[in-house]
Amino acid sequence: MGERLPIIAGNWKMNNTIKETKELLTALIPLVKDAKAEVAVCVPYTSIATARKLIRGTNIKLGAENVHWADKGAFTGEISADMLKELKVEYVIVGHSERRQFFGETDETVNKRAQAALSRKLKPIICVGELLSERENGKTDEVVIRQTKGAFAGITKGNLKNIVIAYEPVWAIGTGKTATAEDADKTIAVIRKTIGGLYGKVAAEAIRIQYGGSMNAKNVTELMAKPNIDGGLIGGASLKAEDFSKVVLGA
Ligand code: PEP
């Protein structure tokens, strides 16, 4: 895996009130303080300020779950990069499959959101991954190549150090089904090669690519042993401090 620092990021999705945020982070902070991997929690907007206060001075980084591409304006329900930056958010998930599936996110809007994040020095975690039907039809590589090229359109090489990619096969998210470590590694290699085609081999070797999809304390070691897997985007297992800490410490 070379010099890439693994990053384990929790994706809380639409979970945790402010009270629950306090409980979860208070329990998590001491459990992950000696982590070798980089640790982040991507939390709902309503929890950002609380999370920020609690994790200040710890090794846990703050993330959000989405960002709009416009600077400001008539986009009811959306949040701008400036708003996140003001709250000292560092990472932001872009193009999660739930956004693609339920909120009409496309390769184009994923790209626009990623560009907006980068323009304000937020670090996007760009999600790609195939549906079950696409996998069954042998289209996995084609889909992740298309999504990767789409997400990176117009993004310059200088920005790559601030981008994390998450390979998340949609059929493995929240289902308890994990891609085999071999399959995950193979598809991540395809994504890495796609980055290589766009930006060159050195850039491809440097960019961090996580696996996501029912990653947990039991499978983290096997997944992390693969050369291309640089950490994980963790949904369900990020909602309990003990479970998440085991993934973090296993990375
Ligand atoms: C996710 O939502 O990014 C995810 C990987 O979820 P889970 O770990 O629950 O499959």
Side-chain angles (χ1 to χ4, degrees), residues 66-70 94-96 100 105-119 124-128 146-156 159 163 198-199:
N66 192 21
V67 61
H68 198 263
W69 54 83
V94 170
H96 191 276
R100 293 180 191 256
E105 205 77 71
T106 64
D107 292 343
E108 194 192 344
T109 58
V110 170
N111 175 249
K112 287 166 81 170
R113 291 182 197 272
Q115 299 230 36
L118 290 165
S119 76
I125 299 175
I126 297 175
C127 302
V128 299
R146 190 203 74 224
Q147 291 178 338
T148 304
K149 285 185 176 165
F152 281 80
I155 290 178
T156 58
N159 278 308
I163 301 177
L198 295 170
Y199 300 100

Short mmCIF file of all heavy atoms in Angstrom, two decimals, residues 66-70 94-96 100 105-119 124-128 146-156 159 163 198-199:
data_model
loop_
_atom_site.label_atom_id
_atom_site.label_comp_id
_atom_site.label_asym_id
_atom_site.label_seq_id
_atom_site.Cartn_x
_atom_site.Cartn_y
_atom_site.Cartn_z
N ASN A 66 -22.77 16.08 2.50
CA ASN A 66 -23.14 16.58 1.18
C ASN A 66 -22.81 18.07 1.12
O ASN A 66 -22.66 18.71 2.17
CB ASN A 66 -24.63 16.36 0.93
CG ASN A 66 -25.03 16.58 -0.53
OD1 ASN A 66 -24.20 16.52 -1.44
ND2 ASN A 66 -26.31 16.85 -0.76
N VAL A 67 -22.69 18.59 -0.06
CA VAL A 67 -22.46 20.03 -0.23
C VAL A 67 -23.04 20.45 -1.58
O VAL A 67 -22.97 19.69 -2.56
CB VAL A 67 -20.94 20.36 -0.16
CG1 VAL A 67 -20.16 19.65 -1.27
CG2 VAL A 67 -20.69 21.86 -0.23
N HIS A 68 -23.62 21.63 -1.64
CA HIS A 68 -24.15 22.11 -2.92
C HIS A 68 -23.05 22.79 -3.74
O HIS A 68 -22.02 23.17 -3.19
CB HIS A 68 -25.32 23.07 -2.70
CG HIS A 68 -26.15 23.25 -3.93
ND1 HIS A 68 -25.98 24.31 -4.79
CD2 HIS A 68 -27.10 22.46 -4.47
CE1 HIS A 68 -26.82 24.17 -5.81
NE2 HIS A 68 -27.51 23.06 -5.64
N TRP A 69 -23.30 22.91 -5.05
CA TRP A 69 -22.26 23.47 -5.91
C TRP A 69 -22.30 24.99 -6.01
O TRP A 69 -21.29 25.61 -6.34
CB TRP A 69 -22.34 22.87 -7.33
CG TRP A 69 -23.68 22.98 -7.98
CD1 TRP A 69 -24.18 24.06 -8.65
CD2 TRP A 69 -24.70 21.98 -8.02
NE1 TRP A 69 -25.45 23.78 -9.11
CE2 TRP A 69 -25.79 22.51 -8.76
CE3 TRP A 69 -24.80 20.67 -7.53
CZ2 TRP A 69 -26.96 21.79 -8.99
CZ3 TRP A 69 -25.96 19.96 -7.76
CH2 TRP A 69 -27.02 20.52 -8.48
N ALA A 70 -23.45 25.57 -5.70
CA ALA A 70 -23.54 27.03 -5.83
C ALA A 70 -22.98 27.71 -4.59
O ALA A 70 -22.97 27.13 -3.50
CB ALA A 70 -24.99 27.44 -6.04
N VAL A 94 -19.39 13.13 -1.16
CA VAL A 94 -20.03 13.59 -2.40
C VAL A 94 -20.42 12.37 -3.23
O VAL A 94 -19.63 11.46 -3.41
CB VAL A 94 -19.04 14.49 -3.19
CG1 VAL A 94 -19.59 14.77 -4.58
CG2 VAL A 94 -18.78 15.81 -2.46
N GLY A 95 -21.65 12.37 -3.69
CA GLY A 95 -22.08 11.31 -4.60
C GLY A 95 -22.32 9.97 -3.95
O GLY A 95 -22.21 8.92 -4.60
N HIS A 96 -22.68 9.98 -2.67
CA HIS A 96 -23.02 8.71 -2.04
C HIS A 96 -24.16 8.04 -2.81
O HIS A 96 -25.03 8.71 -3.35
CB HIS A 96 -23.44 8.95 -0.58
CG HIS A 96 -23.55 7.68 0.20
ND1 HIS A 96 -24.69 6.91 0.17
CD2 HIS A 96 -22.67 7.05 1.00
CE1 HIS A 96 -24.49 5.84 0.95
NE2 HIS A 96 -23.28 5.89 1.45
N ARG A 100 -27.41 9.35 -5.01
CA ARG A 100 -27.65 9.04 -6.43
C ARG A 100 -29.01 8.36 -6.60
O ARG A 100 -29.75 8.65 -7.54
CB ARG A 100 -26.53 8.11 -6.96
CG ARG A 100 -25.14 8.76 -7.02
CD ARG A 100 -24.12 7.76 -7.55
NE ARG A 100 -22.74 8.17 -7.42
CZ ARG A 100 -21.98 8.64 -8.42
NH1 ARG A 100 -22.47 8.76 -9.64
NH2 ARG A 100 -20.72 8.96 -8.21
N GLU A 105 -28.94 12.41 -7.82
CA GLU A 105 -27.54 12.78 -8.06
C GLU A 105 -27.04 12.09 -9.32
O GLU A 105 -27.33 10.91 -9.52
CB GLU A 105 -26.72 12.32 -6.87
CG GLU A 105 -25.45 13.07 -6.63
CD GLU A 105 -25.71 14.41 -5.98
OE1 GLU A 105 -26.07 14.46 -4.79
OE2 GLU A 105 -25.56 15.42 -6.69
N THR A 106 -26.33 12.83 -10.15
CA THR A 106 -25.77 12.26 -11.39
C THR A 106 -24.25 12.45 -11.39
O THR A 106 -23.72 13.19 -10.55
CB THR A 106 -26.33 12.99 -12.63
OG1 THR A 106 -25.87 14.36 -12.57
CG2 THR A 106 -27.85 12.96 -12.67
N ASP A 107 -23.59 11.85 -12.35
CA ASP A 107 -22.14 12.05 -12.45
C ASP A 107 -21.83 13.54 -12.57
O ASP A 107 -20.83 14.02 -12.02
CB ASP A 107 -21.58 11.30 -13.66
CG ASP A 107 -21.65 9.78 -13.48
OD1 ASP A 107 -21.83 9.32 -12.33
OD2 ASP A 107 -21.55 9.07 -14.49
N GLU A 108 -22.70 14.25 -13.26
CA GLU A 108 -22.46 15.69 -13.46
C GLU A 108 -22.61 16.48 -12.15
O GLU A 108 -21.78 17.33 -11.83
CB GLU A 108 -23.43 16.22 -14.52
CG GLU A 108 -23.03 17.58 -15.01
CD GLU A 108 -24.13 18.24 -15.85
OE1 GLU A 108 -25.07 17.56 -16.30
OE2 GLU A 108 -24.04 19.47 -16.00
N THR A 109 -23.65 16.17 -11.38
CA THR A 109 -23.83 16.94 -10.14
C THR A 109 -22.77 16.52 -9.11
O THR A 109 -22.33 17.35 -8.30
CB THR A 109 -25.25 16.78 -9.55
OG1 THR A 109 -25.53 15.39 -9.31
CG2 THR A 109 -26.31 17.35 -10.47
N VAL A 110 -22.36 15.27 -9.16
CA VAL A 110 -21.28 14.83 -8.27
C VAL A 110 -20.02 15.65 -8.57
O VAL A 110 -19.34 16.15 -7.67
CB VAL A 110 -21.00 13.31 -8.44
CG1 VAL A 110 -19.73 12.90 -7.72
CG2 VAL A 110 -22.19 12.49 -7.96
N ASN A 111 -19.74 15.81 -9.84
CA ASN A 111 -18.58 16.60 -10.26
C ASN A 111 -18.70 18.06 -9.79
O ASN A 111 -17.75 18.64 -9.26
CB ASN A 111 -18.47 16.53 -11.79
CG ASN A 111 -17.38 17.42 -12.34
OD1 ASN A 111 -17.64 18.42 -13.00
ND2 ASN A 111 -16.14 17.07 -12.06
N LYS A 112 -19.89 18.63 -9.96
CA LYS A 112 -20.08 20.03 -9.56
C LYS A 112 -19.92 20.19 -8.04
O LYS A 112 -19.33 21.16 -7.56
CB LYS A 112 -21.47 20.52 -10.00
CG LYS A 112 -21.56 20.75 -11.50
CD LYS A 112 -22.97 20.89 -11.98
CE LYS A 112 -23.51 22.28 -11.76
NZ LYS A 112 -24.83 22.48 -12.46
N ARG A 113 -20.43 19.23 -7.30
CA ARG A 113 -20.31 19.31 -5.84
C ARG A 113 -18.83 19.16 -5.42
O ARG A 113 -18.34 19.85 -4.54
CB ARG A 113 -21.17 18.24 -5.17
CG ARG A 113 -22.68 18.49 -5.33
CD ARG A 113 -23.48 17.40 -4.62
NE ARG A 113 -24.85 17.35 -5.06
CZ ARG A 113 -25.86 18.06 -4.55
NH1 ARG A 113 -25.64 18.90 -3.56
NH2 ARG A 113 -27.09 17.92 -5.01
N ALA A 114 -18.14 18.23 -6.07
CA ALA A 114 -16.73 18.01 -5.74
C ALA A 114 -15.92 19.28 -6.04
O ALA A 114 -15.07 19.71 -5.24
CB ALA A 114 -16.18 16.82 -6.52
N GLN A 115 -16.21 19.89 -7.18
CA GLN A 115 -15.48 21.13 -7.55
C GLN A 115 -15.75 22.24 -6.55
O GLN A 115 -14.84 22.99 -6.17
CB GLN A 115 -15.91 21.59 -8.94
CG GLN A 115 -15.60 20.56 -10.00
CD GLN A 115 -14.87 21.16 -11.19
OE1 GLN A 115 -14.05 22.05 -11.03
NE2 GLN A 115 -15.14 20.65 -12.37
N ALA A 116 -17.01 22.36 -6.11
CA ALA A 116 -17.36 23.40 -5.13
C ALA A 116 -16.60 23.16 -3.83
O ALA A 116 -16.06 24.08 -3.22
CB ALA A 116 -18.86 23.41 -4.88
N ALA A 117 -16.57 21.90 -3.40
CA ALA A 117 -15.86 21.56 -2.16
C ALA A 117 -14.39 21.97 -2.28
O ALA A 117 -13.85 22.67 -1.42
CB ALA A 117 -15.98 20.06 -1.88
N LEU A 118 -13.76 21.56 -3.37
CA LEU A 118 -12.33 21.84 -3.55
C LEU A 118 -12.06 23.34 -3.61
O LEU A 118 -11.04 23.81 -3.10
CB LEU A 118 -11.84 21.16 -4.83
CG LEU A 118 -11.78 19.62 -4.75
CD1 LEU A 118 -11.65 19.02 -6.14
CD2 LEU A 118 -10.64 19.16 -3.85
N SER A 119 -12.99 24.08 -4.21
CA SER A 119 -12.78 25.53 -4.35
C SER A 119 -12.73 26.21 -2.99
O SER A 119 -12.21 27.31 -2.86
CB SER A 119 -13.87 26.15 -5.22
OG SER A 119 -15.07 26.28 -4.48
N PRO A 124 -13.28 16.47 -0.63
CA PRO A 124 -14.39 15.57 -0.95
C PRO A 124 -14.00 14.09 -0.84
O PRO A 124 -12.89 13.70 -1.22
CB PRO A 124 -14.74 15.93 -2.40
CG PRO A 124 -13.53 16.58 -2.95
CD PRO A 124 -12.77 17.18 -1.81
N ILE A 125 -14.92 13.32 -0.31
CA ILE A 125 -14.83 11.86 -0.37
C ILE A 125 -15.82 11.47 -1.47
O ILE A 125 -17.04 11.52 -1.27
CB ILE A 125 -15.22 11.21 0.97
CG1 ILE A 125 -14.26 11.66 2.09
CG2 ILE A 125 -15.23 9.67 0.84
CD1 ILE A 125 -14.64 11.15 3.49
N ILE A 126 -15.29 11.18 -2.64
CA ILE A 126 -16.14 10.95 -3.81
C ILE A 126 -16.50 9.47 -3.92
O ILE A 126 -15.62 8.61 -3.99
CB ILE A 126 -15.41 11.40 -5.10
CG1 ILE A 126 -15.13 12.91 -5.04
CG2 ILE A 126 -16.22 11.04 -6.33
CD1 ILE A 126 -14.30 13.44 -6.21
N CYS A 127 -17.80 9.19 -3.90
CA CYS A 127 -18.25 7.79 -3.90
C CYS A 127 -18.58 7.30 -5.30
O CYS A 127 -19.25 8.01 -6.07
CB CYS A 127 -19.50 7.64 -3.05
SG CYS A 127 -19.28 8.18 -1.35
N VAL A 128 -18.12 6.13 -5.60
CA VAL A 128 -18.48 5.44 -6.85
C VAL A 128 -18.82 4.00 -6.51
O VAL A 128 -18.40 3.49 -5.47
CB VAL A 128 -17.34 5.48 -7.90
CG1 VAL A 128 -16.98 6.91 -8.28
CG2 VAL A 128 -16.09 4.75 -7.39
N ARG A 146 -16.79 5.04 -15.67
CA ARG A 146 -17.64 6.18 -16.07
C ARG A 146 -17.83 7.16 -14.91
O ARG A 146 -17.67 8.37 -15.05
CB ARG A 146 -19.00 5.65 -16.54
CG ARG A 146 -19.86 6.72 -17.21
CD ARG A 146 -21.34 6.38 -17.16
NE ARG A 146 -21.89 6.59 -15.83
CZ ARG A 146 -22.72 5.74 -15.21
NH1 ARG A 146 -23.09 4.63 -15.79
NH2 ARG A 146 -23.16 6.01 -13.99
N GLN A 147 -18.13 6.61 -13.73
CA GLN A 147 -18.38 7.48 -12.57
C GLN A 147 -17.11 8.24 -12.17
O GLN A 147 -17.17 9.42 -11.79
CB GLN A 147 -18.89 6.65 -11.39
CG GLN A 147 -20.29 6.10 -11.61
CD GLN A 147 -20.76 5.24 -10.45
OE1 GLN A 147 -19.96 4.72 -9.67
NE2 GLN A 147 -22.06 5.07 -10.34
N THR A 148 -15.98 7.56 -12.24
CA THR A 148 -14.72 8.22 -11.86
C THR A 148 -14.39 9.33 -12.84
O THR A 148 -14.09 10.46 -12.44
CB THR A 148 -13.56 7.19 -11.79
OG1 THR A 148 -13.94 6.15 -10.89
CG2 THR A 148 -12.27 7.82 -11.32
N LYS A 149 -14.47 9.02 -14.13
CA LYS A 149 -14.17 10.07 -15.13
C LYS A 149 -15.14 11.23 -14.98
O LYS A 149 -14.76 12.39 -15.07
CB LYS A 149 -14.27 9.49 -16.55
CG LYS A 149 -13.08 8.61 -16.91
CD LYS A 149 -13.17 8.17 -18.35
CE LYS A 149 -11.96 7.37 -18.76
NZ LYS A 149 -12.17 6.62 -20.02
N GLY A 150 -16.40 10.92 -14.74
CA GLY A 150 -17.41 11.97 -14.58
C GLY A 150 -17.12 12.84 -13.37
O GLY A 150 -17.16 14.07 -13.45
N ALA A 151 -16.79 12.20 -12.27
CA ALA A 151 -16.56 12.95 -11.03
C ALA A 151 -15.33 13.85 -11.12
O ALA A 151 -15.28 14.91 -10.52
CB ALA A 151 -16.40 11.97 -9.86
N PHE A 152 -14.34 13.42 -11.89
CA PHE A 152 -13.07 14.16 -11.94
C PHE A 152 -12.98 15.12 -13.13
O PHE A 152 -11.95 15.79 -13.29
CB PHE A 152 -11.88 13.18 -11.96
CG PHE A 152 -11.57 12.63 -10.59
CD1 PHE A 152 -12.31 11.59 -10.06
CD2 PHE A 152 -10.56 13.18 -9.83
CE1 PHE A 152 -12.06 11.11 -8.78
CE2 PHE A 152 -10.28 12.70 -8.54
CZ PHE A 152 -11.04 11.65 -8.03
N ALA A 153 -14.03 15.23 -13.91
CA ALA A 153 -13.97 16.13 -15.08
C ALA A 153 -13.59 17.54 -14.65
O ALA A 153 -14.21 18.11 -13.75
CB ALA A 153 -15.33 16.13 -15.79
N GLY A 154 -12.57 18.08 -15.26
CA GLY A 154 -12.18 19.47 -14.98
C GLY A 154 -11.42 19.66 -13.68
O GLY A 154 -11.05 20.78 -13.34
N ILE A 155 -11.21 18.60 -12.94
CA ILE A 155 -10.47 18.74 -11.67
C ILE A 155 -8.97 18.61 -11.98
O ILE A 155 -8.54 17.66 -12.64
CB ILE A 155 -10.93 17.69 -10.63
CG1 ILE A 155 -12.35 18.06 -10.17
CG2 ILE A 155 -9.96 17.60 -9.46
CD1 ILE A 155 -12.97 17.11 -9.18
N THR A 156 -8.22 19.57 -11.49
CA THR A 156 -6.79 19.60 -11.83
C THR A 156 -5.99 18.68 -10.91
O THR A 156 -6.41 18.36 -9.80
CB THR A 156 -6.22 21.02 -11.71
OG1 THR A 156 -6.45 21.45 -10.36
CG2 THR A 156 -6.89 21.97 -12.68
N ASN A 159 -5.27 19.24 -7.21
CA ASN A 159 -6.33 19.01 -6.21
C ASN A 159 -6.36 17.58 -5.67
O ASN A 159 -7.05 17.30 -4.69
CB ASN A 159 -7.70 19.31 -6.83
CG ASN A 159 -8.01 20.78 -6.81
OD1 ASN A 159 -7.94 21.42 -5.77
ND2 ASN A 159 -8.36 21.33 -7.96
N ILE A 163 -8.38 14.84 -2.27
CA ILE A 163 -9.55 14.03 -2.63
C ILE A 163 -9.35 12.59 -2.16
O ILE A 163 -8.27 12.03 -2.28
CB ILE A 163 -9.76 14.02 -4.16
CG1 ILE A 163 -9.97 15.45 -4.68
CG2 ILE A 163 -10.95 13.14 -4.54
CD1 ILE A 163 -10.11 15.55 -6.21
N LEU A 198 -5.99 9.51 -16.33
CA LEU A 198 -6.32 10.94 -16.34
C LEU A 198 -5.14 11.81 -15.90
O LEU A 198 -4.94 12.91 -16.41
CB LEU A 198 -7.51 11.22 -15.40
CG LEU A 198 -8.86 10.59 -15.76
CD1 LEU A 198 -9.85 10.77 -14.62
CD2 LEU A 198 -9.41 11.21 -17.04
N TYR A 199 -4.39 11.31 -14.90
CA TYR A 199 -3.40 12.19 -14.25
C TYR A 199 -1.98 11.61 -14.20
O TYR A 199 -1.07 12.26 -13.70
CB TYR A 199 -3.83 12.49 -12.81
CG TYR A 199 -5.17 13.17 -12.69
CD1 TYR A 199 -6.31 12.45 -12.38
CD2 TYR A 199 -5.30 14.54 -12.90
CE1 TYR A 199 -7.56 13.07 -12.26
CE2 TYR A 199 -6.53 15.17 -12.80
CZ TYR A 199 -7.65 14.43 -12.48
OH TYR A 199 -8.86 15.04 -12.38
#
